Amino acid sequence: MRLYRLMRKPPWFLSVSTWIRKDDNPIKAGTEARNPKNIILLEAQYGSLSTKLKMILPLAKMFKSILVNMRKSAKSIIHNPKIGKRRISLKDLEGLEKIAKENGVSTLGYTKVNPNHIFKNFEILYDNAIMLTMEMDKNLMAKGEGQESMNEIMRTYDGLGRVVNIMADYLRSKGYNCHASPAFGGDINTVPTAQDAGLGCIGKNGILISPEFGPSLRLAAVFVDIENLPFSKENEHEWITDFCESCNLCVKNCPAQAIYTKPTYNDQGGRVFIDPLKCIDPFSKGCSMCVTSCVFTSGKYDKIKSVYEQKNERASH
Ligand code: SF4
Ligand code: SF4
């Protein structure tokens, strides 16, 4: 039995569905939605017991904090004003972005949630998303498999779990409805949703590549029914998809050969380059070669784009 196939939803005490009220009108997953990948069960299935204990025990305090904040995110929807304000003032929006940044958020973007990006059997209260990135320290990630990169991965899970609740408290105090969705145990596939919010483009490594720090980041969301957010209209980073076609650095550097040069298609017909089952054992030990080997982790987005454009220009003549 594949353990990771057992859990399709968070347990009831961590699930937003437990606190949704009769007159709420949650948005359900679309027909092409996929199942979430439960990291804890994936790790339980793969890797040796001694490795798991060695990696996970020092992180027990952070795990506890992550779970406490997951519960708060789900349960705190009962504090929504219900007849919340549908239009946000510039002052409140600037205040929200300010507290997000003061609490570790690197960048923010706004988009409507595609229902197919809500995980199967999950629901969200509102479908306007404030998408958040939090940078992972590339020097710590470059240490490779081991405790330091694992600590950094968990720090960002924990940090985003905290900040979505801080933002939700702020929004409710100003009279807005919201649903905080943490990075760990979240309700949607944050990678394509962050792409829709214009925060970057999905790379061959399956991670959002941002212009600021490449794929060295983690994502979370806050859902609202505010209608006048500055929604992203176009994504200026889509050229990265074509760039990845000829780059393949992450493919060459993956120790588990878990990233393919050519795409495969998942059960829902989605285009993917990663085999998560090959990845999970090295990932559970802190592998992040697909982050550290990516050319965009250097932070030289503008230079890479300029070289790419010049090359295309020459090829067209
Ligand atoms: S985490 Fe490691 S094993 Fe998994 S895809 Fe990235 S490089 Fe490959
Ligand atoms: S290493 Fe290259 S192919 Fe892989 S995600 Fe980064 S840019 Fe794309």
Side-chain angles (χ1 to χ4, degrees):
M1 168 62 80
R2 301 269 192 220
L3 276 178
Y4 65 89
R5 290 194 198 281
L6 287 178
M7 198 184 287
R8 296 304 196 196
K9 290 186 75 169
W12 67 269
F13 57 94
L14 297 175
S15 170
V16 76
S17 301
T18 308
W19 287 283
I20 283 177
R21 290 172 284 191
K22 273 201 189 103
D23 53 346
D24 282 328
N25 195 13
I27 296 113
K28 309 273 183 196
T31 50
E32 291 167 33
R34 74 162 173 80
N35 288 308
K37 298 248 170 349
N38 188 291
I39 292 169
I40 292 178
L41 290 182
L42 276 167
E43 292 204 1
Q45 177 89 43
Y46 295 95
S48 73
L49 182 64
S50 64
T51 307
K52 278 178 246 169
L53 291 176
K54 214 164 78 190
M55 300 295 289
I56 291 171
L57 285 181
L59 299 169
K61 208 168 149 194
M62 246 188 272
F63 267 122
K64 186 178 167 207
S65 168
I66 288 168
L67 291 177
V68 166
N69 276 296
M70 270 177 78
R71 181 173 161 83
K72 182 175 176 190
S73 292
K75 190 174 178 184
S76 64
I77 61 168
I78 61 174
H79 301 304
N80 280 338
K82 298 281 282 189
I83 306 174
K85 291 192 267 182
R86 294 296 187 90
R87 297 191 68 78
I88 192 165
S89 65
L90 186 59
K91 186 168 165 253
D92 288 350
L93 186 62
E94 284 175 353
L96 180 70
E97 294 193 349
K98 185 165 177 281
I99 61 155
K101 297 225 166 143
E102 283 171 356
N103 286 281
V105 167
S106 305
T107 56
L108 298 93
Y110 303 89
T111 188
K112 197 94 182 158
V113 178
N114 178 337
N116 289 327
H117 297 158
I118 303 171
F119 290 132
K120 206 182 258 186
N121 302 322
F122 280 59
E123 51 194 347
I124 61 175
L125 262 189
Y126 312 109
D127 64 355
N128 292 335
I130 305 168
M131 296 305 301
L132 315 172
T133 73
M134 186 174 280
E135 182 182 6
M136 296 191 294
D137 186 314
K138 64 180 179 215
N139 296 318
L140 292 174
M141 298 307 289
K143 304 265 182 192
E145 287 186 21
Q147 199 66 49
E148 281 176 289
S149 57
M150 186 52 100
N151 285 356
E152 181 59 4
I153 291 168
M154 296 313 290
R155 179 192 69 78
T156 47
Y157 273 126
D158 187 30
L160 283 165
R162 289 167 192 267
V163 75
V164 291
N165 285 327
I166 292 169
M167 292 171 71
D169 287 345
Y170 172 88
L171 285 167
R172 291 185 184 117
S173 75
K174 301 283 180 189
Y176 305 99
N177 293 315
C178 63
H179 164 185
S181 189
F184 197 93
D187 311 273
I188 61 167
N189 188 349
T190 49
V191 179
T193 312
Q195 178 175 262
D196 291 345
L199 291 172
C201 177
I202 304 170
K204 203 171 255 190
N205 55 11
I207 310 170
L208 186 86
I209 295 182
S210 69
E212 295 85 3
F213 21 80
S216 194
L217 53 77
R218 202 152 294 287
L219 301 163
V222 177
F223 308 120
V224 293
D225 55 357
I226 299 167
E227 291 159 352
N228 64 327
L229 292 170
F231 294 111
S232 168
K233 293 194 176 60
E234 58 183 294
N235 190 322
E236 58 185 296
H237 312 298
E238 280 173 351
W239 64 275
I240 291 174
T241 304
D242 184 52
F243 179 89
C244 283
E245 285 300 316
S246 55
C247 169
N248 292 315
L249 267 180
C250 54
V251 178
K252 288 174 201 143
N253 283 286
C254 173
Q257 289 82 50
I259 312 175
Y260 302 124
T261 311
K262 298 286 173 210
T264 57
Y265 293 87
N266 62 22
D267 296 347
Q268 291 74 40
R271 196 167 172 265
V272 285
F273 291 89
I274 300 257
D275 183 339
L277 297 186
K278 283 187 179 174
C279 160
I280 192 60
D281 185 29
F283 178 76
S284 69
K285 297 172 191 155
C287 176
S288 52
M289 278 306 291
C290 49
V291 172
T292 53
S293 65
C294 180
V295 280
F296 290 96
T297 303
S298 64
K300 293 178 182 157
Y301 176 93
D302 289 339
K303 193 171 170 200
I304 298 165
K305 187 175 183 193
S306 162
V307 172
Y308 167 82
E309 286 172 345
Q310 284 167 23
K311 198 174 144 202
N312 275 3
E313 180 79 22
R314 280 198 301 275
S316 68
H317 288 124

